Amino acid sequence: MTELLFRGATVYTPDGPGEFDVTVSDGVITSVGPRGSGRGKAVDVSGNWLLPGGIDVHVHSRDPGFPDKEDFGTLTAAAAAGGVTTVVDMPNTVPAVDSAGALESKAALARSRSRVDFGLWALIRSTSTAEQLVELASAGAVGFKAYLGYSFSVSRKQVLHALDASDPDLEAPPDYGTLTRLAPAIAELGLPLVIHAEDPGILHAFRRPFETYEDVLEARPAEAESVAISATASVARQHDIHLHIAHVSSALGLQAAEEAIAAGTRLTLETCPQYLWRTEADFARLGTAMKMNPPVRRASDQQALRDALRREVISVVATDHAPHTDDEKAQDLEHAPPGTPGVQTLYLSCLELARHMGDPWLAARWVSEGPAALAGLSESKGRIAPGYDADLVVVDPTQSTTFSPKAMRSRQKHGALQGLKVSFAITSVYLRGVPIYANGRLSTRSTGRMVRPAGVPIA
Ligand code: NCD
Ligand code: ZN
């Protein structure tokens, strides 16, 4: 097969940026060497940056379940256009991914429509058994997700944002008891446990109708996050589990996490562009486009999260890409469902933030290297180095991009970052050496494959 030679770019390698030739054969990077050293069919990327493809470890494809909101086709069109070459999908699709059978059907569906590689998280229910987790792992789950405080509709096989479980169809949410019971199995499997960290007891105590954005902040206080993190960390530490905290949103949550790390917990942290770029002050302009769980909070929280990224305490930026229809989001603050799309703007928003911090190359660590480690993909993805998949993003650092609803490839056009201007543009994107996006156009091919974490035996 022809070798490809990417020449002329400044390349981000694990040792930092440099002027290198990158050769690719059969979808895999074969060499990263001095200019003029590579051989092959030349791809001239002069004046651009060459970065490892993004890995968004927190997306909601809505597929199967909610085709009006999104599906794997629209999700991964947005991903490809945004330089994200791997997505890892959350299990709250319908039917929820709580068994090997459900995971396998979802994988088949995703394979049929995905333009980028994909991995799948598995769901922990309060009734899940150790045996089910073992089967989910052999079916290829990247790890397990527990939505603390989210009930489960048994008849609909759906995770619900409902707090009270008086309805007999609603199964109680997974709680610290569930996690303690399943901890030995998770430890044995060696896969990460991800939590949606909002303590239901605290949310319950502060419930109120949403008339203003201040009501949202009061109803979902930062203590809900910090308590959930501390309690889960205590279980994880006892059983030596890798605990990953999804979408950290508050300074207090961060503090709880840092205390847990200092106490010896194997804990990684993720935050999202919306918490890094937005504060309560943006609600007047953005409205329900920035309603999500946990909420976007205050400037002091944003500052603490940016600081934690700089200190490398937070190793993953993911999007919690959670689209709804624009009609659903047009409802009032009380009724509009929580969530914002984000996969398309992940890479560029991180490059811009990293540029503000004085080192734009940090973005590749937040959206590629760190996420690869979380998903068990460190041996195949997340780096421009020999032996790694040729998932490559070509970025023009001389052109700017303004995030606008009309450029969004997701079904939901309005997101929390709309209007943000960044001083970069994505020129082209390669998945395992195949161009999937170039100069504003997606390739028509669906080429996505399922990724599985290294070291887990295939059933
Ligand atoms: C998510 C969704 O809609 O699936 N919504 C959100 O506000 N983040 C669920 C979740 O991650 O809590
Ligand atoms: Zn989510």
Side-chain angles (χ1 to χ4, degrees), residues 333-376:
L333 185 57
E334 171 77 24
H335 298 100
T340 174
V343 71
Q344 193 173 334
T345 50
L346 172 69
Y347 221 132
L348 288 178
S349 65
C350 283
L351 279 168
E352 183 68 9
L353 182 64
R355 184 180 75 84
H356 279 269
M357 291 180 179
D359 182 1
W361 304 102
L362 286 174
R365 297 212 209 148
W366 307 337
V367 307
S368 199
E369 243 176 89
L374 171 67

Side-chain angles (χ1 to χ4, degrees), residues 58-60 90 92 145 147 196 246-247 270 293 319-322:
H58 192 153
V59 300
H60 296 273
M90 285 295 167
N92 63 339
K145 172 82 182 270
Y147 289 88
H196 177 111
H247 47 49
E270 154 197 318
N293 298 333
T319 62
D320 190 12
H321 176 91

Side-chain angles (χ1 to χ4, degrees), residues 3-6 9-24 28-39 50 383-390 392:
E3 290 227 339
L4 287 181
L5 163 64
F6 289 84
T10 305
V11 181
Y12 180 74
T13 75
D15 303 320
E19 314 292 307
F20 299 115
D21 279 358
V22 175
T23 58
V24 170
V28 175
I29 297 167
T30 42
S31 71
V32 181
R35 281 225 170 132
S37 65
R39 294 282 168 274
L50 195 64
R383 286 157 185 249
I384 298 183
Y388 280 74
D389 285 357
L392 302 168

Side-chain angles (χ1 to χ4, degrees), residues 103-369:
L103 190 137
E104 279 154 7
S105 324
K106 184 171 170 178
L109 191 70
R111 258 184 218 109
S112 72
R113 331 203 221 260
S114 197
R115 292 166 179 273
V116 303
D117 285 352
F118 66 91
L120 301 175
W121 294 104
L123 183 73
I124 289 188
R125 286 168 53 182
S126 57
T127 53
S128 295
T129 63
E131 195 179 27
Q132 282 167 333
L133 303 197
V134 172
E135 288 167 5
L136 281 159
S138 357
V142 155
F144 303 100
K145 172 82 182 270
Y147 289 88
L148 299 176
Y150 284 55
S151 309
F152 188 80
S153 163
V154 178
S155 66
R156 289 196 267 164
K157 299 184 182 304
Q158 184 182 354
V159 176
L160 289 174
H161 296 278
L163 276 180
D164 38 29
S166 48
D167 180 345
D169 182 46
L170 289 186
E171 178 180 285
D175 59 11
Y176 310 120
T178 312
L179 300 181
T180 308
R181 179 171 62 75
L182 295 172
I186 298 171
E188 174 86 12
L189 290 165
L191 292 175
L193 168 66
V194 183
I195 58 159
H196 177 111
E198 288 186 292
D199 179 85
I202 293 179
L203 294 188
H204 192 78
F206 287 86
R207 277 183 95 170
R208 69 198 58 212
F210 293 168
E211 278 167 23
T212 65
Y213 196 70
E214 197 55 32
D215 293 328
V216 175
L217 291 179
E218 283 177 24
R220 308 190 89 97
E223 286 89 340
E225 187 167 81
S226 63
V227 167
I229 292 173
S230 301
T232 315
S234 163
V235 177
R237 186 160 65 249
Q238 182 65 23
H239 295 272
D240 198 26
I241 290 173
H242 171 184
L243 176 64
H244 179 75
I245 313 296
H247 47 49
V248 176
S249 65
S250 68
L252 200 63
L254 201 54
Q255 188 191 328
E258 292 203 51
E259 284 165 12
I261 292 167
T265 318
R266 287 207 287 136
L267 188 147
T268 51
L269 293 171
E270 154 197 318
T271 191
C272 314
Q274 52 270 31
Y275 305 116
L276 295 163
W277 281 107
R278 297 304 186 211
T279 68
E280 53 174 340
D282 294 300
F283 181 74
R285 189 167 43 87
L286 292 168
T288 58
M290 71 169 241
K291 179 184 178 184
M292 69 197 74
N293 298 333
V296 168
R297 302 181 196 270
R298 308 193 191 274
S300 53
D301 295 296
Q302 183 193 75
Q303 205 42 59
L305 294 167
R306 288 181 169 200
D307 181 59
L309 262 182
R310 200 181 281 111
R311 292 184 290 119
E312 299 182 18
V313 171
I314 295 178
S315 60
V316 173
V317 181
T319 62
D320 190 12
H321 176 91
H324 298 283
T325 65
D326 285 317
D327 282 349
E328 287 169 321
K329 291 295 272 189
Q331 297 171 85
D332 61 22
L333 185 57
E334 171 77 24
H335 298 100
T340 174
V343 71
Q344 193 173 334
T345 50
L346 172 69
Y347 221 132
L348 288 178
S349 65
C350 283
L351 279 168
E352 183 68 9
L353 182 64
R355 184 180 75 84
H356 279 269
M357 291 180 179
D359 182 1
W361 304 102
L362 286 174
R365 297 212 209 148
W366 307 337
V367 307
S368 199
E369 243 176 89

